[in-house]
Amino acid sequence: MELSSLLAVCVLSCAVWRRSCAGHPKPGCRYPPSQWCRSLEISIACHVEKQCMELNATRTSQAVPPVSVVLYYESLCPACRAFISGQLFPTWTMLQDIMSVTLVPYGNAKEIPSADSPFTCQHGEPECRGNLIQACIVHLTGPSAFQIIYCMESSVDVVGAAHVASCWTGALGNRLMHANAVMTRALRPAHTRVPWVTVNGSRTAESPLKTDCLKDLDLFQEHVEEEEEEGGQAMSSLFLLVCRLYKGLKPPACSGASVRLSRNFC
């Protein structure tokens, strides 16, 4: 092979492999959306280099509020567990830079003033205990609460997966559950089933979200329709809604990744 040809091959080879010499993972989009902007090499491999550069450049100066998602649920409701583990947590994992999540464990419970048991729950006493535990977790752990509650809801034994007995067996747990009861009763319109989700404080059919952002998707009705995306992929309504509602620069994850919403309700 002539020297000029050999030099050309070497130059091309160096261009292809130079990124791996910097100590980062080899190129190739084998990474979840939450990692796309972790390094320049990954963003290039996943074809989102421009979006990541723009996102990093504006992140510190943005004053755009995150999309607020509030979930009213019950700890042992099968549909709530499926929604948390199958849609809400994956959506938050990918879009946590542009969305906030508030968890209100109460759902279809009833507050009955009593010295022994001030609450009754749809799925019995174990669910009341689970609601109390999760209310305590939210109160005691702050930003880490969602990860802990996700682990509980996705485990076989929801109640046994966490231990905060000093809170949920005492007066503090009951005060936290009363606060959740007040929040749940304040919903307008009142919730009719769980899981019940509000986005930026709204769930009513009159909300402009229905026409401006949801189009034929109806997050506010019992049956959530999925919109077919290019390539035959169905994007979940929550994931799509958060991406559409966010007023700032969209993160790269908004152009990919799909999760499905369970259609079951308690």
Side-chain angles (χ1 to χ4, degrees):
M1 182 180 294
E2 294 183 0
L3 180 60
S4 59
S5 298
L6 181 61
L7 181 60
V9 171
C10 289
V11 170
L12 179 61
S13 298
C14 289
V16 172
W17 292 103
R18 65 184 177 84
R19 300 185 188 95
S20 62
C21 298
H24 293 290
K26 292 181 179 180
C29 195
R30 305 183 302 272
Y31 308 94
S34 60
Q35 300 295 313
W36 284 351
C37 293
R38 190 181 69 180
S39 71
L40 177 61
E41 286 74 15
I42 294 176
S43 67
I44 292 174
C46 296
H47 309 291
V48 292
E49 179 183 7
K50 180 181 178 182
Q51 294 94 320
C52 287
M53 291 178 66
E54 292 175 346
L55 182 65
N56 290 334
T58 59
R59 180 172 291 165
T60 56
S61 61
Q62 280 192 53
V64 178
V67 176
S68 172
V69 177
V70 182
L71 174 65
Y72 298 82
Y73 71 104
E74 301 167 347
S75 61
L76 297 188
C77 165
C80 298
R81 297 180 63 187
F83 180 78
I84 290 172
S85 60
Q87 181 165 173
L88 183 59
F89 188 78
T91 297
W92 176 83
T93 299
M94 292 184 286
L95 301 179
Q96 57 186 286
D97 287 341
I98 67 169
M99 70 180 290
S100 65
V101 173
T102 301
L103 301 173
V104 186
Y106 186 79
N108 297 330
K110 303 294 181 183
E111 190 172 25
I112 303 174
S114 167
D116 298 325
S117 180
F119 304 98
T120 60
C121 298
Q122 183 177 2
H123 299 93
E125 191 275 335
E127 180 168 80
C128 283
R129 195 183 324 136
N131 291 346
L132 280 165
I133 290 173
Q134 293 189 4
C136 288
I137 289 173
V138 170
H139 176 73
L140 296 173
T141 64
S144 302
F146 196 12
Q147 292 96 318
I148 298 171
I149 290 176
Y150 162 73
C151 288
M152 290 181 65
E153 293 298 320
S154 59
S155 68
V156 175
D157 182 1
V158 174
V159 176
H163 302 282
V164 284
S166 61
C167 175
W168 71 264
T169 58
L172 175 58
N174 286 334
R175 289 199 300 271
L176 296 173
M177 282 302 297
H178 171 72
N180 287 347
V182 171
M183 288 180 64
T184 304
R185 288 196 294 264
L187 280 167
R188 294 294 180 272
H191 84 288
T192 57
R193 54 182 47 79
V194 286
W196 189 264
V197 183
T198 65
V199 180
N200 285 344
S202 180
R203 188 183 171 102
T204 63
E206 292 74 23
S207 169
L209 304 184
K210 183 176 180 181
T211 55
D212 293 347
C213 299
L214 290 178
K215 295 184 179 179
D216 61 332
L217 300 176
D218 192 354
L219 186 64
F220 307 125
Q221 301 300 325
E222 294 80 23
H223 302 289
V224 179
E225 297 297 326
E226 292 178 332
E227 182 180 78
E228 288 300 315
E229 295 294 320
E230 189 174 313
Q233 296 293 323
M235 183 72 76
S236 79
S237 56
L238 178 63
F239 184 93
L240 182 60
L241 179 60
V242 171
C243 285
R244 286 181 176 175
L245 284 181
Y246 185 62
K247 302 302 183 183
L249 186 66
K250 313 292 184 186
C254 283
S255 63
S258 64
V259 288
R260 288 181 176 272
L261 171 65
S262 170
R263 293 171 181 254
N264 299 315
F265 293 84
C266 288

